[in-house]
């Protein structure tokens, strides 16, 4: 394992932040394929960091046994800015306090600029897809390096993009408030995304070509289809990226994390990064638990349940159930007026995520239902 440090905000007065990346199998596969997994871009989402800790042990063992057939890069806590944001005793890691921006939005679209650079430099696509990918990655890195990155947040985004651009597989590990395990990916990559959900035994895959505001995974996965549209069929679909939501914020548990690490390694094995993979000594075999087949749904069919007034949220149903439109999910109770109303599902679908806090303010999204039909447009990650 090699540990590398990537300082941010090198012009800062005082101690600058730094991103740490752990590299496994790099020396055995120089110039070979790379997979990158990053933990907790939203720094207050803790489960990914524990899954990363389990992955680290397993990857060290696989490396020592000579069973890594590609480089695996692990960013065990990829957002040092967010991790330093303690406000009134609580970690606040979703938004950058200095700018108010979401840490998982506004990643740059590089394809158009990189294609222009490639052409301006006399680049031509040949018959070898790997050579084409290598040449285009150089243009992408040059395009990224030319973007302004004055402050620490911009430097964090640029550092994470730079590390991921050379990877064939990019997994951005998050969690929701309270949720079943689910995956976000783009429609072009549905077969690979289904391999991933199968390895993780995740019951839901949400697909969108563009969900709005440039989340990290789409800034990666959109590159190759866009380059192909611009430069032609010689461009390989060289990068798969997905966001994995590792259940809810409080599901920080060694047994679950070990099982999730095993599922991620199974996927890396199917993608050719791992040779022989021992069946892990996991206490919870998530594949032994009864799970429905993975539901593949459009992100545009994911509808939010909004609280009509402020009150106490009393859930009636557990997560992971198929519900009918109109079926009550919770009661909302106003302690002052005494009003108590059921919150119905807006659509037939899978009840897959809900608010952790049991107090809802008027207008707040408190639950998400994955329906079959696309019904929304615009910014699909917001209510
Ligand atoms: Zn997140």
């Amino acid at each position: 394992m090699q540990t590398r440090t990537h300082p941010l905000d090198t012009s800062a007065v005082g101690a600058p932040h730094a991103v740490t990346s752990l590299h496994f199998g790099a020396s055995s596969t120089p110039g070979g394929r790379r997979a990158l997994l990053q933990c907790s871009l939203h720094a207050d989402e803790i489960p990914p960091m524990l899954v990363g800790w389990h992955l680290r042990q397993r990857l060290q063992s696989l490396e020592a046994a000579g069973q890594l057939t590609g480089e695996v890069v692990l960013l065990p806590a990829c957002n040092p800015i967010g991790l330093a944001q303690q406000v009134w005793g609580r970690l606040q890691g979703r938004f950058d306090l200095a700018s108010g921006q979401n840490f998982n939005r506004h990643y740059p679209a590089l394809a158009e600029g990189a294609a222009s650079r490639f052409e301006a430099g006399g680049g031509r696509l040949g018959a070898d897809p790997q050579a084409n990918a290598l040449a285009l990655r150089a243009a992408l890195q040059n395009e990224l390096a030319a973007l302004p990155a004055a402050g620490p947040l911009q430097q964090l985004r640029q550092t994470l993009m730079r590390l991921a651009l050379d990877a064939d597989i990019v997994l951005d590990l998050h969690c929701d408030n309270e949720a079943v395990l689910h995956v976000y990916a783009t429609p072009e990559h549905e077969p690979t995304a289904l391999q991933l959900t199968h390895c993780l035994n995740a019951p839901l895959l949400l697909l969108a070509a563009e969900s709005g505001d440039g989340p990290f995974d789409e800034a990666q996965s959109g590159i190759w289809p866009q380059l192909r549209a611009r430069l032609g069929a010689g461009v390989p679909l060289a990068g798969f990226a997905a966001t994995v939501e590792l259940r809810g914020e409080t599901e920080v548990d060694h047994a679950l994390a070990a099982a999730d690490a095993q599922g991620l390694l199974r996927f890396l094995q199917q993608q050719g990064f791992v040779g022989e993979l021992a069946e892990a000594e996991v206490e919870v075999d998530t594949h032994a638990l009864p799970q429905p087949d993975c539901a593949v749904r459009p992100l545009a069919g994911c509808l939010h349940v909004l609280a009509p007034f402020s009150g106490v949220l009393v859930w009636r149903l557990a997560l992971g159930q198929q519900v009918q439109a109109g079926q009550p999910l919770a009661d909302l109770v106003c302690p002052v007026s005494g009003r108590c109303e059921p919150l119905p599902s807006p659509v037939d679908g899978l009840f897959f995520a809900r608010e952790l806090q049991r107090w809802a303010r008027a207008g707040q999204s408190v639950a998400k239902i994955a329906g079959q039909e696309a019904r929304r447009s615009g910014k699909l990650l917001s209510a």
Side-chain angles (χ1 to χ4, degrees):
M1 181 183 84
Q2 296 170 8
T3 302
R4 298 181 197 163
T5 304
H6 313 271
L8 308 178
D9 196 19
T10 46
S11 62
V13 177
H17 296 293
V19 174
T20 298
S21 60
L22 308 177
H23 297 249
F24 304 88
S27 54
S28 58
T29 56
R33 297 178 72 235
R34 168 184 276 195
L36 180 137
L37 298 92
Q38 67 178 25
C39 303
S40 304
L41 178 55
H42 287 139
D44 49 4
E45 296 172 3
I46 312 302
M49 290 189 277
L50 186 63
V51 171
W53 183 82
H54 281 269
L55 273 174
R56 176 191 192 127
Q57 330 294 324
R58 299 290 309 281
L59 287 166
Q60 277 183 305
S61 301
L62 287 165
E63 185 178 52
Q67 292 299 326
L68 288 184
T69 46
E71 183 185 6
V72 180
V73 182
L74 176 65
L75 276 57
C78 75
N79 182 355
I81 301 170
L83 271 181
Q85 294 183 163
Q86 293 279 340
V87 180
W88 300 329
R90 304 290 296 181
L91 186 56
Q92 301 290 337
R94 186 173 183 82
F95 299 94
D96 172 48
L97 287 184
S99 64
Q101 292 186 19
N102 188 319
F103 283 112
N104 190 22
R105 301 288 187 274
H106 312 302
Y107 285 82
L110 299 172
E112 180 59 38
S116 298
R117 277 176 191 275
F118 179 72
E119 288 173 331
R124 282 174 188 271
L125 296 175
D128 179 357
Q130 278 190 329
N132 291 342
L134 201 64
L136 289 167
R137 283 198 163 110
L140 287 161
Q141 290 285 11
N142 288 336
E143 178 68 13
L144 177 68
L147 296 179
L153 175 61
Q154 289 72 26
Q155 290 180 18
L156 174 68
R157 288 182 180 134
Q158 197 166 87
T159 299
L160 298 179
M161 286 290 287
R162 177 168 53 77
L163 287 165
L165 274 179
D166 292 338
D168 305 274
I169 301 286
V170 174
L171 299 180
D172 194 15
L173 308 182
H174 289 245
C175 73
D176 209 310
N177 276 185
E178 288 189 317
V180 300
L181 209 159
H182 58 286
V183 171
Y184 294 90
T186 51
E188 287 96 346
H189 290 118
E190 182 178 340
T192 312
L194 275 172
Q195 272 187 340
L196 176 62
T197 57
H198 179 72
C199 290
L200 289 165
N201 212 16
L204 177 62
L205 169 62
L206 291 167
L207 297 174
E210 191 177 348
S211 55
D213 282 344
F216 179 80
D217 66 336
E218 284 179 18
Q220 297 294 333
S221 57
I223 285 172
W224 299 96
Q226 288 161 21
L227 283 175
R228 180 175 280 188
R230 173 77 159 68
L231 297 172
V235 176
L237 291 179
F240 167 75
T243 293
V244 181
E245 300 281 350
L246 294 164
R247 306 182 190 80
E249 285 178 29
T250 62
E251 294 189 77
V252 180
D253 176 273
H254 275 306
L256 275 180
D260 290 342
Q262 175 73 1
L264 291 167
L265 289 172
R266 252 186 239 127
F267 175 68
L268 291 180
Q269 184 184 38
Q270 291 186 6
Q271 293 296 316
F273 288 87
V274 175
E276 247 178 70
L277 181 62
E279 272 312 309
E281 320 73 53
V282 294
E283 292 170 44
V284 178
D285 180 355
T286 52
H287 275 252
L289 302 174
Q291 289 278 358
D293 287 340
C294 181
V296 182
R297 302 281 162 86
L299 182 58
C302 173
L303 298 192
H304 291 248
V305 178
L306 304 181
F309 56 91
S310 296
V312 177
L313 264 177
V314 187
W315 293 108
R316 291 197 197 184
L317 287 185
L319 287 166
Q321 301 188 44
Q322 289 290 333
V323 296
Q324 309 293 315
Q327 186 175 348
L329 305 175
D331 288 326
L332 189 60
V333 177
C334 175
V336 178
S337 67
R339 185 178 175 189
C340 174
E341 286 189 14
L343 294 182
S345 173
V347 65
D348 292 357
L350 181 68
F351 176 31
F352 74 97
R354 70 188 189 189
E355 173 57 47
L356 175 64
Q357 180 174 284
R358 272 25 178 185
W359 176 262
R361 64 183 156 70
Q364 182 184 348
S365 167
V366 296
K368 291 182 275 191
I369 312 293
Q372 296 271 9
E373 309 290 334
R375 294 199 187 179
R376 305 174 63 214
S377 57
K379 296 183 180 181
L380 299 176
L381 294 171
S382 313

